[in-house]
Amino acid sequence: MIALVDCNNFYVSCERVFRPELELKPVVVLSNNDGCIISRSNEAKKLGIAMGEPAFKREKFMKENGVVCFSSNYALYGDMSQRVMDTLREAAPEIEVYSIDEAFLNLAGIQNLYSFAERLREKVKKDTGIPVSIGIGNTKSLAKIANKEAKNGNGVFIIDNPHIRKAILMNTPIGKVWGIGRRHQKRLLGYNIDNAYRFSQLSDNWVKKNMTVVGHRIQRELRGEPCISMEQVPPAKKVIATTRAFGKKLTDKSLIKEAVATYAVRCAEKLRKQQSAANLLTVFIHTDPFSATESVYYKSQTAILPIASNHNTVLVKAAYKALETIFIEGLKYKKAGVIVEAIVPENNLQGNLFFEGNQAKLNILSEVNDSINRRYGRDTLRLAAQGNKKEWKLRQQKLSKGYTTKLDEIIDVKS
């Protein structure tokens, strides 16, 4: 059997761990630049606050109803996620971390599944403070559906016989099935296939013809046939991007260069983390697309690296060259980003006689850079090109403390 463990309202739950007085109160977490609502407590949901709503449109309503707002604190959420996953690893022989707040567990050999799930929920709550829901089925797809039932019930739900499976699938809209996108959903609804059970009963040949092998795999999973294996090591990303909206509109080229340099460094860090290197780097910039008074401008430029690389200096130099070709003076820029592609393993690089850098020295520099930043915090050691970020950093007016990520913000416990 497979379990899907999903943290409840994860970002909100992370904030509540360190602000217990917020339990049972409406709480929301906002996206970058405090733009949209991306996490809601159950109390906020009951007030009718929708996912993805622009925060400014609900500002008066939230104030009148005592809704507590937080800026997104991704460093805190990432650390809390790691703590949850470490707890899950202690409980199950095999785990696949699916996202920041979800993990699949292989429960092979475990007898009393319900009792196990209840104890696991209690352990995660005790060790981390994060509440979780657990759905169990004999395939990943069924575990996903069971998890939705668990969230609507008492926190644990198991699909362990054909009668339960049929009843649950009949009550699962086809658009809620894991892996069924909007295009396939529209096609299936056209044939009156509006729930997961009807989809599972379609002929294999029709599904293969109209939804390829992937769709057929999902169908078999819904029937109870395991087709999607556990992945203990996440596959390397084929495209890596770092994009951010600025805290305010920028016209100063030097500030935009600082931002682009930082985004390039972030991409390099992600490449090194998965032991990869990129052959292509793209920079884009754009103005505010919703402005009624300013010129709308969006432009990107792709650079071919002389040799696939994951080094800060190499990616920053390439990003600077790309930015030079697309930057126009006088415009008010709202956002920029760096994207790296054509990613290959770092231990299998094709050389280039015309590459001026010393690869061995760059490797040593990267190792030292990463080691220092792991120990003392991100950007303790950084390139001068990255600047100080004060002029272009994200707007985070409601940011909580780095309770677990900054030594000077750790909670003081007094007896």
Side-chain angles (χ1 to χ4, degrees), residues 131-412:
V132 300
S133 296
I134 302 176
I136 299 175
N138 62 325
T139 71
K140 280 185 169 182
S141 297
L142 290 176
K144 270 275 190 180
I145 291 173
N147 188 273
K148 289 183 173 64
E149 294 296 320
K151 284 185 179 295
N152 295 327
N154 62 359
V156 176
F157 193 89
I158 305 175
I159 300 177
D160 57 359
N161 68 63
H163 301 294
I164 293 178
R165 176 165 56 83
K166 180 178 179 180
I168 295 301
L169 293 185
M170 290 183 70
N171 286 315
T172 301
I174 190 63
K176 297 296 183 180
V177 175
W178 184 39
I180 300 294
R182 291 183 180 179
R183 183 170 61 86
H184 286 317
Q185 178 189 359
K186 184 177 180 180
R187 170 175 287 182
L188 290 167
L189 289 174
Y191 287 95
N192 200 32
I193 309 301
D194 59 353
N195 63 54
Y197 181 73
R198 288 183 174 179
F199 173 62
S200 71
Q201 298 304 298
L202 288 171
S203 74
D204 291 17
N205 289 335
W206 189 92
V207 175
K208 288 178 183 177
K209 180 180 178 181
N210 292 278
M211 301 180 66
T212 71
V213 175
V214 175
H216 186 230
R217 189 180 300 152
I218 295 169
Q219 182 194 39
R220 290 171 60 196
E221 286 255 320
L222 295 178
R223 292 172 177 170
E225 304 173 36
C227 299
I228 306 174
S229 60
M230 296 281 289
E231 293 181 355
Q232 290 180 288
V233 179
K237 294 180 180 179
K238 297 180 180 179
V239 176
I240 291 174
T242 301
T243 68
R244 296 285 187 276
F246 304 131
K248 62 180 181 180
K249 295 178 183 180
L250 299 178
T251 57
D252 190 331
K253 184 178 180 181
S254 64
L255 295 178
I256 295 175
K257 287 179 70 175
E258 287 183 6
V260 167
T262 299
Y263 302 160
V265 168
R266 295 289 176 262
C267 287
E269 291 169 348
K270 295 173 185 177
L271 285 168
R272 293 196 295 273
K273 187 174 181 179
Q274 69 173 30
Q275 299 180 330
S276 300
N279 283 288
L280 301 177
L281 180 146
T282 300
V283 173
F284 74 82
I285 51 175
H286 69 71
T287 56
D288 187 349
F290 303 107
S291 175
T293 59
E294 300 168 8
S295 300
V296 177
Y297 176 78
Y298 180 100
K299 197 72 174 179
S300 65
Q301 179 65 39
T302 299
I304 301 175
L305 301 179
I307 182 172
S309 180
N310 57 19
H311 301 300
N312 296 353
T313 53
V314 175
L315 267 60
V316 169
K317 286 180 181 178
Y320 272 2
K321 288 182 180 179
L323 179 64
E324 287 290 339
T325 66
I326 59 177
F327 182 84
I328 296 178
E329 295 283 356
L331 297 181
K332 296 180 180 180
Y333 293 98
K334 180 65 177 176
K335 187 175 183 178
V338 174
I339 305 167
V340 292
E341 303 173 86
I343 293 173
V344 297
E346 66 177 359
N347 60 359
N348 188 25
L349 304 182
Q350 182 175 346
N352 187 332
L353 290 173
F354 302 101
F355 178 60
E356 298 178 357
N358 185 312
Q359 198 70 16
K361 288 184 177 179
L362 287 172
N363 289 338
I364 294 172
L365 180 61
S366 292
E367 290 177 9
V368 172
N369 184 90
D370 292 342
S371 177
I372 291 174
N373 287 335
R374 275 195 302 269
R375 183 170 183 178
Y376 297 104
R378 173 181 275 184
D379 289 339
T380 299
L381 180 63
R382 66 179 187 270
L383 298 178
Q386 294 178 246
N388 60 19
K389 308 179 194 174
K390 291 182 180 178
E391 295 294 325
W392 53 267
K393 69 176 183 178
L394 293 173
R395 183 170 64 250
Q396 295 176 303
Q397 296 177 342
K398 307 174 188 297
L399 186 65
S400 56
K401 293 182 179 180
Y403 299 107
T404 67
T405 59
K406 294 182 179 179
L407 285 174
D408 58 340
E409 294 184 1
I410 290 176
I411 291 178
D412 292 328

Side-chain angles (χ1 to χ4, degrees), residues 115-135:
S115 176
F116 169 83
E118 281 290 342
R119 291 197 307 271
L120 183 57
R121 290 184 72 231
E122 291 173 4
K123 181 172 176 55
V124 173
K125 179 69 173 177
K126 179 181 177 182
D127 289 359
T128 69
I130 303 295
V132 300
S133 296
I134 302 176

Side-chain angles (χ1 to χ4, degrees), residues 35-63:
C36 298
I37 295 162
I38 57 172
S39 184
R40 304 160 295 159
S41 68
N42 291 336
E43 295 77 15
K45 294 174 185 177
K46 289 178 181 178
L47 288 174
I49 298 173
M51 188 69 141
E53 276 193 288
F56 76 91
K57 289 185 177 181
R58 285 288 204 164
E59 187 173 0
K60 181 180 178 182
F61 175 85
M62 291 192 291
K63 187 174 182 179

